[in-house]
Amino acid sequence: DIQMTQSPSTLSASVGDRVTITCRASQSISSWLAWYQQKPGKAPKLLIYKASTLESGVPSRFSGSGSGTEFTLTISSLQPDDFATYYCQQYNSLWTFGQGTKVAIK
Amino acid sequence: EVQLVESGGGLVQPGGSLRLSCAASGFTFSTYEMNWVRQAPGKGLEWVSYISSSGSTIHYADSVRGRLTISRDNAKNSLYLQMNSLRADDTAVYYCARAQLQTFDYWGQGTLVTVSS
């Protein structure tokens, strides 16, 4: 099974900050990686797929990069609506989520 | 507008059974692969099961194989999850999710399953 590890688990940031979340796979997954945003009490929302392709309607301040085993999600300028938990997901072999990264207000 | 609406959750005793449903609308259900994903209280997301558009291909997470059964009725635009031999660690919000290019582009609001005596 492919394991996904995100870091950090929690980060505190301010509006306007540049934020980067890392996701590592236990084996190569090529570019078969997605990122989701989840707010409390709500279903997850797809942000990015194939490591770097922005889902329709997602603001351009979100970007993804990486391939193989190391990936990053970057929010270029954090907005109030972005405080949430973010999950990476591999879909190279079935599906596995990372444990999540909570982005909190500093 | 794409909509996925789960139902069937509730309180069940350990060892009991429950059947979840997911009603789909706003898209051609029969052409999409579907999944169930769960989230234990205060925890992260866990993929549970996948079914192909025709129902001919099915996958399960190791944690549920042999106890949970996914199915679909394309004539009724519905996805199901039959849950048997339930355990306390099956307690979670269960989401149905549409698959597009292997990622999950639409999710329902979730239904809570609580396994407790």
Side-chain angles (χ1 to χ4, degrees), chain A residues 2 11 19 24 33 43 53-54 58 71-72 76 90 98 101 106:
Chain A
I2 299 175
L11 72 87
V19 167
R24 290 186 173 86
L33 185 102
T53 303
L54 210 61
V58 174
F71 302 86
T72 59
S76 61
Q90 70 82 18
T101 296
K106 192 171 188 179

Side-chain angles (χ1 to χ4, degrees), chain B residues 1-80:
Chain B
E1 179 194 5
V2 172
Q3 282 201 317
L4 297 168
V5 179
E6 301 94 338
S7 61
L11 176 63
V12 61
Q13 292 189 336
S17 297
L18 214 54
R19 189 195 197 205
L20 306 184
S21 299
C22 171
S25 61
F27 65 102
T28 306
F29 180 73
S30 62
T31 64
Y32 283 86
E33 302 162 356
M34 298 294 295
N35 291 266
W36 288 98
V37 177
R38 69 184 181 183
Q39 186 169 36
K43 303 296 184 183
L45 301 169
E46 179 187 17
W47 169 77
V48 171
S49 185
Y50 157 94
I51 188 166
S52 63
S53 57
S54 66
S56 61
T57 301
I58 285 172
H59 296 295
Y60 296 101
D62 290 344
S63 58
V64 306
R65 187 175 293 111
R67 302 185 301 113
L68 273 57
T69 302
I70 192 171
S71 63
R72 66 190 296 160
D73 185 336
N74 286 342
K76 294 183 177 180
N77 291 337
S78 293
L79 176 72
Y80 305 102

Side-chain angles (χ1 to χ4, degrees), chain A residues 1 34 36 38 41-46 49-50 55 87 89 91 94-99, chain B residues 35 37 39 43-47 50 59-60 62 65 95 101-105 107-109:
Chain A
D1 292 6
Y36 297 84
Q38 187 181 33
K42 300 294 187 182
K45 173 187 174 183
L46 177 64
Y49 60 95
K50 209 173 178 185
E55 174 74 344
Y87 294 92
Q89 177 206 43
Y91 52 101
L94 299 182
W95 296 267
T96 313
F97 291 93
Q99 81 278 17
Chain B
N35 291 266
V37 177
Q39 186 169 36
K43 303 296 184 183
L45 301 169
E46 179 187 17
W47 169 77
Y50 157 94
H59 296 295
Y60 296 101
D62 290 344
R65 187 175 293 111
Y95 296 100
L101 300 177
Q102 300 296 302
T103 55
F104 303 166
D105 63 344
W107 299 61
Q109 85 288 350

Side-chain angles (χ1 to χ4, degrees), chain A residues 66-84:
Chain A
S67 66
T69 62
E70 188 151 337
F71 302 86
T72 59
L73 172 70
T74 300
I75 309 172
S76 61
S77 177
L78 198 65
Q79 298 302 300
D81 192 48
D82 302 338
F83 291 99

